[in-house]
Structures are given as structure tokens and as C-alpha cells.
Amino acid sequence: MSKKPVRVAVTGAAGQIGYALLFRIASGEMLGKDQPVILQLLEIPDEKAQNALKGVIMELEDCAFPLLAGIEAHSDAESAFKNTDYAILVGARPRGPGMERKDLLSANAQIFTVQGKALNKVASRNVKVLVVGNPANTNAYIAMKSAPDLPRENFTAMLRLDHNRAASQIAAKTGGTVGGIEKLTVWGNHSPTMYADYRFATIDGKNVKEAINDDVWNRDTFLPTVGKRGAAIIAARGLSSAASAANAAIDHMRDWALGTNGKWVTMGIPSNGEYGIPKDVIFGFPVTTENGKYKIVEGLPIDAFSQERIDLTLKELTEEQDGVKHLL
Ligand SMILES: NC(=O)C1=CN([C@@H]2O[C@H](COP(=O)(O)OP(=O)(O)OC[C@H]3O[C@@H](n4cnc5c(N)ncnc54)[C@H](O)[C@@H]3O)[C@@H](O)[C@H]2O)C=CC1
Ligand SMILES: O=C([O-])CC(=O)C(=O)O
């Protein structure tokens, strides 16, 4: 018997990332090839954006995806999030050249109070929320704090693009296969302060740290390359990354919903005090997932260099949180 359709809300649906994301959700790449979906798409109440959304919907219809059980267009968060099982919050301003993601805080923060409140009111009580819009960790924090009736653990931020970028750099450096990487993680904020950590990683069964054996490369090449990859893409394309961001959103939600079979992935999730990160800070952690729940990989040794990096990214997140106190 075929499964009951689930509801997937996507905001910023007519934007760059939306265009790279929706077709993949509708084709079953996110929730499985046997899971019908109803898309609940939100765009701003502006004629141009709503018209663009109509165009995207026409294209979705023209794909005749067998798993696409319904498509809705919305201009209001409360109607877009009604009974939704998944919410991918993409809609927000992207940065341009010369900006840091935290420069977007004043432009975007308000969006996430409104959307957090709307989720609180109308979404499924089990809704899985992924915040993509930047600055993603602090926007997820705002949404979580604006939704006090939903479980905190339902709110997550996207660190998966950083995780995938780190994996690709490691594969290139070691000559191994990107699919053969295990036990990689990215700690902290989705910003240049993030700490991509391959101390525990293996590639095709070999220890990555031993294979690379170069702390200078780690500090001076790997970490800056991964940390500043978003800016490098903006410099090259004139627009921020979109297809790779959509791909990371699919990876994040698929792994959360369907499980990782013991494999580590990185998710930005509210801390419960693990690794000394204060409660509620939305921080990139290594996790495994099973039955729709994620679990932090605990007990990893943190050496002096790693602690310094973790402290730095935490400091930035704490400052971002302080900057949005007035909204909460
Ligand atoms: N966490 C991550 O790893 C990444 C995050 N991003 C962020 O994702 C966000 C979206 O990027 P793009 O799709 O490239 O931008 P875009 O400008 O192409 O699209 C954003 C869309 O969101 C819509 N929007 C704005 N406010 C909205 C609201 N309140 N409700 C619903 N829709 C709204 C806009 O009308 C626009 O169509 C940006 O903040 C960007 O910085 C981008 C790449 C990676
Ligand atoms: O860099 C940006 O502004 C977009 C983004 O978050 C990324 O590509 O990682």
C-alpha cells in the first residue's frame, strides 16, 4: 500500500536555492522514492515574487512527478506552515561581495520571529525545521525561541554544506574517495569561524590525520578554504551558492528523516550543554540519526587547538545571540 503524503513547507521558494531544491524533493530524493509529498511554498506577498512562484509551480507540474501529491502557493507563513511535517526555511536575503553572513542579521532576523511564531501555531507538533537562510544558526535560534510550544530539538541549522565542502577538500588532498569518508565533523557556526575537524576521520578505511600529516596545511589551507568557500563562490559567480546549498539541505533532511546507519553527519542543533556549549546555542555537532531523531556523538577528546577553535566560533555565536535579544 502506498504511504500517506507528508507536507513539506519551503520558504523563499522562487529564489535561487528554491529552484535547485524543489524538483529534488518532488522526485523523492529527500524523503525516499516511496514517500509522496505535498509542497507548501511560501514567497513574499509581492507581485514579482508571486509570479515567479507561479512559474516554478508550472514547471513542477510539467515534470509529472509521481510522488508529488499536491502543490500550494502561499504569501503568508501561517497558511504555508499549516500541519507541515517538514519546514525548510530558505527565504532570506543572501549576502553580496564584501559582506559577512552576520551582516545579514538585521535584514533577516525579523523573518524568523514571524516564521517561528507561525510554526508554533500551525505546524505539526513533530515538524522538523531546517534553517538555511543566513546567518543560519542564529536564525534557527530565533525561530526556536519564537516557538515555545514546539520541542526545541525540532529546530536545526544547516552546517551540512560546510561538512560536504570539508569532505571534498579531504578527498582531493588524500586522493581517496569522497564517499569513503567517515567520522568527519564541523563544529560551531556556519561562518568562517567554523571548525572543520578531521582528527577522527577515516577515508576508505585509512586515518585522515595520519594520511595528511600536516598541521600547517590544516591551519593555513584547509580551514580557511572550507571557512571562506561561500565567499569564494560569490566572488566567482556573482551570486551565492545555490545548487550545493540545496544539495546539502536534501542531505540534512534525508539523513534526519531516514537515518544514517551509524554514520556521522554534521547538524546545527540546540546544545544541551555537550562539549561545554551553553544550552540552546545552535551549534554544529557530530551526530548520528535513527528513527527520526539525532544524537550527538559524545566523549570525543578536544585538544588545545580544537578548544581554541571551538571557543572562537562559540564567541561569535554568543555575540550574534546578544544582538537579537530585543526580538525575543
Ligand atoms: N546555510 C547555508 O549553508 C547557506 C545559506 N544560504 C542562504 O540562503 C538564503 C537564500 O539564498 P538564495 O536562495 O540564494 O536567495 P534568493 O534571493 O535567490 O532567494 C531568496 C528568496 O526568498 C524570498 N523571501 C525573502 N523573504 C522571505 C520571507 N519572509 N518569506 C518567504 N520568502 C522570502 C525572496 O523573495 C527570494 O525569492 C540566503 O540568506 C543565503 O545567504 C545560502 C547558501 C548556503
Ligand atoms: O556564503 C554565503 O553567503 C552563502 C552561504 O552561506 C554559503 O555558500 O556557505
Side-chain angles (χ1 to χ4, degrees), residues 5 23 38-39 51 67 74 88 94 136 149 153 161 165 180 228 231 259 269 278 284-285 291 316 325 327-328:
F23 300 85
I38 297 169
L39 290 175
N51 267 335
L67 290 171
H74 296 276
I88 309 183
D149 303 325
E153 64 268 22
L161 182 52
R165 286 168 173 165
K228 294 183 191 156
I269 57 174
F285 283 112
N291 300 325
E316 181 181 49
K325 261 195 189 133
L327 293 171
L328 303 172

Side-chain angles (χ1 to χ4, degrees), residues 118-310:
L119 286 164
N120 195 50
K121 205 159 157 193
V122 301
S124 154
R125 299 300 86 182
N126 297 320
V127 64
K128 288 180 163 53
V129 183
L130 168 62
V131 176
V132 175
N134 276 316
N137 299 52
T138 299
N139 288 337
Y141 174 79
I142 295 169
M144 176 183 80
K145 288 289 180 186
S146 304
D149 303 325
L150 290 171
R152 298 157 59 245
E153 64 268 22
N154 296 17
F155 288 83
T156 68
M158 195 161 94
L159 267 290
R160 185 58 175 265
L161 182 52
D162 311 302
H163 179 109
N164 289 349
R165 286 168 173 165
S168 156
Q169 294 299 319
I170 289 167
K173 176 77 175 168
T174 57
T177 59
V178 81
I181 297 181
E182 306 267 354
K183 299 192 172 174
L184 171 67
T185 197
V186 182
W187 304 90
N189 199 5
H190 174 61
S191 91
T193 65
M194 73 185 80
Y195 174 42
D197 184 358
Y198 60 67
R199 289 176 303 139
F200 314 105
T202 57
I203 184 160
D204 305 326
K206 290 197 291 282
N207 181 292
V208 168
K209 192 169 159 39
E210 281 169 16
I212 294 176
N213 192 26
D214 188 345
D215 288 347
V216 175
W217 181 80
N218 180 38
R219 194 190 57 220
D220 294 348
T221 302
F222 173 69
L223 290 173
T225 301
V226 177
K228 294 183 191 156
R229 187 69 160 187
I233 287 163
I234 293 170
R237 245 170 54 88
L239 287 168
S240 68
S241 51
S244 55
N247 179 66
I250 296 271
D251 285 351
H252 177 116
M253 279 307 209
R254 182 200 59 226
D255 285 346
W256 190 2
L258 305 181
T260 62
N261 273 325
K263 193 171 166 163
W264 297 13
V265 291
T266 303
M267 290 172 71
I269 57 174
S271 173
N272 281 308
E274 294 88 349
Y275 293 99
I277 307 305
K279 183 159 185 269
D280 285 351
V281 173
I282 306 271
F283 204 80
F285 283 112
V287 302
T288 56
T289 69
E290 199 179 354
N291 300 325
K293 304 247 179 254
Y294 55 78
K295 200 164 144 248
I296 293 182
V297 178
E298 292 201 68
L300 299 172
I302 304 296
D303 59 20
F305 177 77
S306 303
Q307 190 63 56
E308 204 180 290
R309 292 283 168 159
I310 288 173

